[in-house]
Amino acid sequence: DEKQQNEASADKETNMVLAKLKRVVVHTGNWGCGAFGGNLELHAILQFVAAVAANVDELWYHAVDENSMMAVFNARDTLLEEIYPNCKDKKGKMNCERLYELCPI
């Protein structure tokens, strides 16, 4: 009946608004770079790329010390300055500002 249709429409609109309000926030760090000896910069680049590909709204990168954080900065800079400029999407270029918005470290 008409009442059920109106309620269903209202529920659908409410769900659409709520979906737009949800933000995906990811906390990550130097996984596999301690005792396992992984390459910290490579791991950071992989996590940045995965977050962008997954449309994560915000990425918090936690490092164990200042040297580790500097490696993360270097990884971000390498990604922005050397890797992304050479990667083209269907429109011709990647949006490098997206990484700064995603992870304002």
Side-chain angles (χ1 to χ4, degrees), residues 16-101:
M16 287 175 26
V17 169
L18 289 175
K20 289 180 182 179
L21 294 175
K22 291 181 183 176
R23 293 179 44 81
V24 176
V25 178
V26 173
H27 288 259
T28 190
N30 302 333
W31 302 107
C33 295
F36 297 106
N39 182 311
L40 196 144
E41 289 186 20
L42 176 60
H43 282 239
I45 287 172
L46 292 172
Q47 290 180 61
F48 291 148
V49 170
V52 170
N55 289 318
V56 170
D57 295 304
E58 194 173 338
L59 181 70
W60 287 82
Y61 202 100
H62 303 277
V64 294
D65 57 28
E66 190 173 327
N67 288 336
S68 295
M69 204 64 228
M70 289 308 299
V72 172
F73 287 133
N74 290 338
R76 184 188 65 180
D77 292 345
T78 298
L79 186 60
L80 287 170
E81 297 166 9
E82 298 176 29
I83 298 172
Y84 269 12
N86 296 311
C87 297
K88 297 183 180 187
D89 63 9
K90 293 177 184 175
K91 295 180 181 177
K93 271 293 188 192
M94 294 292 284
N95 183 355
C96 292
E97 288 83 25
R98 174 76 176 113
L99 185 57
Y100 282 115
E101 292 170 6

